[in-house]
Amino acid sequence: MVWDTDSTPISNYRFRRLRNRLLFFYFLIIAAILGTFSAAVYLLVARDRNQQLDTHLRQVTASSTGILEIIQHEYEELTTEDKYQGYVPVGNNGMPVPITLSQLMGKYQAKSASQIAVSPLAASHQGVEWYDAQRRLMVREGGLFLQTSLPSNIPQQGILMQAGNIRSFTKPVYAVSTMNPAQILGYVRVTESTVTLEAELHRLQWSLIVGVVTVSGLAALGGIWLTRESLKPVVQSFDQLKQFTSDASHELRNPLTVIRASIAVMQSHPERIHPADMEKLISMASASAQMSRLVDDLLLLARLDRQAPDQSGWRRIALDELLEDLMDLCRDRAEQSQISLKFQLVPGMEVSGDASQLQQLFMNLLTNALQYTPSGGTVMVSLQRMGTHALVTVQDTGIGIAPEHLLHIFDRFWRADQARSRYEAGSGLGLAIAKTIAQRHQGDITVQSELGEGSRFYVKLPLAG
Ligand SMILES: Nc1ncnc2c1ncn2[C@@H]1O[C@H](COP(=O)(O)OP(=O)(O)OP(=O)(O)O)[C@@H](O)[C@H]1O
Ligand SMILES: [Mg+2]
């Protein structure tokens, strides 16, 4: 006996599915953890950077409110005193056009004015506007301004606003030592572009996405190795078990054949047997036949499990002909049980596969239908096309299957109690074999059934191209 335990580690499709499921969930968990972590990092950084920007806006506003009074004083001088006539340009509406700090201080000659002009307030992505108490813009500095007028309700502590990618902070300025709104001196509005901040956050977002994808990919690679290694012993013991089943069934076949042959010889000479032993002989014949069927089924299942689907021996099989032949084989049995056997087969549908395996698949379904249908019932086999697949339906008006049992009927050795009482010799391997064969032909079997009403087994097989 040869123990072939060093075969490809994940050879069986069930293990491949298990490994893929493990990998999938492992990958999903890693991606979810990394995703949540990255989202949290992004939100924290975004909140922090926005707060920094707001703090900066408030700081610039605070320093700009301090000079509002001076600005107002200087501006009034420029617009009211005759000697400065024409110093402040006038717009189409006859109102003075806002000027810059350096223009405002120009009257004192360049020295002091240039100092203010190069102040940090004048950066091109920022802007500061000084308004008088009547909300008229007097002076503006910097390179970025909102084209809108001041908001109508400005609270004492100021108001933060975002318009497009410009954030602004507007604050009323009160006469010193009073917070009475009647004593408003004017307003200051500071604006700052959020383009740099948004670009920075966008870069961070992409870095995090690339990071999550890369780490998840690497984790998946690690996961493939991990699942392969952890499943190796399980696959090996499963392989050993399959090998044992296959060897044991094989070894049991010969002695069973000898027993069955000996019983047949004894039965062919009834005169040599004492009449009292005849019944025992019949029981022995039936038990050995049952055992041999079981051994054959086990061997077939073990072989189907062990061998990778080998399509070299496959040929094109006309399903209608195959089904008709099987029904001919079942006709006698149906007549004996007084079951009417009907069929409705659309011709011209071919599948590629192993003829004897497909025969076994449909024979198992037909046998079940006949076994579990009381006399007077009907068994109907139909074949139709369903897109790129052939659909064979084996329908009976038999005992049916309880909903809670439907999940188990394809399990090996599973039999419903009702089935046991109807047909003792069964082993519960018929449907397991049928399902394995269907799957090896890239098809599947499904079932619909109602207790006491009957069952419908659907076999879907891909049509030969
Ligand atoms: N057409 C059917 N109607 C009602 N029950 C069914 C039908 N086909 C299968 N079953 C239920 O599913 C169980 C499993 O069926 P399966 O063919 O695998 O085994 P079995 O018929 O009991 O034995 P065997 O190995 O000889 O086929 C049956 O024991 C029976 O309970
Ligand atoms: Mg059966």
Side-chain angles (χ1 to χ4, degrees):
M1 199 187 305
V2 184
W3 293 101
D4 179 16
T5 50
D6 282 330
S7 55
T8 334
I10 309 280
S11 53
N12 191 286
Y13 86 100
R14 279 199 198 92
F15 281 110
R16 266 203 305 275
R17 268 178 51 185
L18 175 66
R19 191 192 68 179
N20 291 345
R21 273 167 66 100
L22 275 175
L23 257 178
F24 174 72
F25 285 115
Y26 174 72
F27 180 77
L28 211 69
I29 290 168
I30 293 279
I33 292 172
L34 284 174
T36 315
F37 176 73
S38 305
V41 167
Y42 177 80
L43 289 176
L44 279 176
V45 171
R47 200 188 62 171
D48 193 50
R49 295 290 292 112
N50 274 302
Q51 275 175 356
Q52 267 179 22
L53 181 72
D54 295 345
T55 310
H56 184 246
L57 278 174
R58 285 173 201 278
Q59 281 168 351
V60 176
T61 309
S63 55
S64 304
T65 51
I67 56 169
L68 178 80
E69 225 172 331
I70 306 167
I71 286 175
Q72 205 162 17
H73 172 76
E74 297 296 336
Y75 189 77
E76 250 165 43
E77 250 180 41
L78 289 181
T79 46
T80 52
E81 286 184 22
D82 285 348
K83 60 176 172 175
Y84 296 121
Q85 188 97 47
Y87 192 96
V88 176
V90 177
N92 291 340
N93 55 0
M95 297 296 284
V97 173
I99 55 173
T100 62
L101 270 183
S102 48
Q103 285 170 324
L104 178 77
M105 305 309 272
K107 61 179 177 176
Y108 297 118
Q109 298 307 314
K111 205 171 170 230
S112 58
S114 62
Q115 265 176 5
I116 297 175
V118 295
S119 78
L121 307 180
S124 66
H125 62 280
Q126 293 176 331
V128 185
E129 295 162 308
W130 287 269
Y131 291 82
D132 63 14
Q134 287 72 45
R135 295 167 170 258
R136 212 173 50 220
L137 180 58
M138 300 177 292
V139 176
R140 57 163 54 147
E141 195 56 57
L144 183 81
F145 307 103
L146 278 172
Q147 299 304 321
T148 52
S149 50
L150 290 179
S152 48
N153 286 321
I154 306 170
Q156 284 177 5
Q157 68 276 17
I159 182 169
L160 263 172
M161 293 176 87
Q162 177 89 33
N165 42 31
I166 298 179
R167 185 154 323 160
S168 65
F169 184 61
T170 314
K171 197 169 187 282
V173 184
Y174 297 93
V176 186
S177 82
T178 175
M179 287 300 269
N180 178 358
Q183 295 298 305
I184 272 184
L185 283 179
Y187 302 88
V188 171
R189 177 158 73 179
V190 178
T191 46
E192 184 151 348
S193 164
T194 53
V195 170
T196 321
L197 170 65
E198 277 158 19
E200 197 181 301
L201 290 178
H202 200 242
R203 263 200 312 278
L204 174 69
Q205 201 176 30
W206 273 107
S207 312
L208 288 171
I209 290 173
V210 170
V212 169
V213 171
T214 315
V215 176
S216 302
L218 289 175
L221 286 181
I224 292 176
W225 178 82
L226 209 71
T227 44
R228 193 182 286 270
E229 287 305 303
S230 47
L231 281 180
K232 240 182 204 170
V234 185
V235 176
Q236 273 178 359
S237 42
F238 188 72
D239 277 348
Q240 282 179 351
L241 198 69
K242 282 190 298 191
Q243 180 72 46
F244 172 79
T245 316
S246 156
D247 289 343
S249 329
H250 192 76
E251 300 296 326
L252 279 170
R253 257 180 146 187
N254 286 344
L256 263 172
T257 315
V258 174
I259 294 170
R260 290 187 69 191
S262 311
I263 294 172
V265 171
M266 285 166 82
Q267 281 180 320
S268 61
H269 297 287
E271 72 283 357
R272 295 191 206 155
I273 302 163
H274 193 278
D277 293 334
M278 200 60 192
E279 230 170 79
K280 288 176 198 143
L281 201 64
I282 292 170
S283 310
M284 278 166 71
S286 131
S288 57
Q290 187 183 341
M291 246 165 102
S292 178
R293 224 182 18 251
L294 172 63
V295 165
D296 284 349
D297 281 354
L298 272 177
L299 192 61
L300 176 67
L301 259 179
R303 280 187 184 152
L304 287 172
D305 278 345
R306 277 183 59 72
Q307 293 159 2
D310 171 23
Q311 301 191 351
S312 59
W314 284 18
R315 59 182 181 81
R316 290 170 81 100
I317 298 155
L319 271 183
D320 57 329
E321 289 170 18
L322 181 138
L323 289 168
E324 253 186 82
D325 289 349
L326 290 179
M327 293 189 50
D328 286 342
L329 289 175
C330 294
R331 199 143 282 143
D332 280 352
R333 188 169 166 185
E335 265 169 32
Q336 276 167 21
S337 316
Q338 294 164 345
I339 293 171
S340 97
L341 194 56
K342 297 181 184 167
F343 59 91
Q344 206 172 36
L345 310 173
V346 174
M349 259 181 269
E350 287 188 334
V351 294
S352 31
D354 181 312
S356 70
Q357 286 184 9
L358 289 178
Q359 272 169 355
Q360 172 112 43
L361 185 172
F362 293 114
M363 197 54 168
N364 287 2
L365 295 183
L366 267 168
T367 316
N368 280 352
L370 292 171
Q371 255 156 16
Y372 303 119
T373 301
S375 48
T378 308
V379 170
M380 164 95 179
V381 178
S382 66
L383 166 67
Q384 58 201 353
R385 186 184 291 267
M386 224 179 90
T388 55
H389 285 71
L391 180 73
V392 180
T393 313
V394 180
Q395 182 180 354
D396 63 57
T397 57
I399 57 173
I401 304 161
E404 67 271 22
H405 291 161
L406 281 175
L407 275 177
H408 307 290
I409 56 167
F410 294 102
D411 292 351
R412 293 170 189 194
F413 294 109
W414 190 91
R415 306 194 71 209
D417 290 341
Q418 237 185 334
R420 281 178 211 279
S421 54
R422 262 197 84 76
Y423 168 58
E424 272 179 43
S427 57
L429 287 177
L431 284 180
I433 290 175
K435 183 117 184 162
T436 310
I437 294 174
Q439 284 173 341
R440 285 172 77 93
H441 285 78
Q442 283 97 45
D444 202 8
I445 304 186
T446 47
V447 60
Q448 269 179 2
S449 185
E450 215 162 293
L451 205 57
E453 297 287 319
S455 313
R456 263 176 210 217
F457 285 84
Y458 300 97
V459 182
K460 229 174 111 181
L461 292 170
L463 286 167

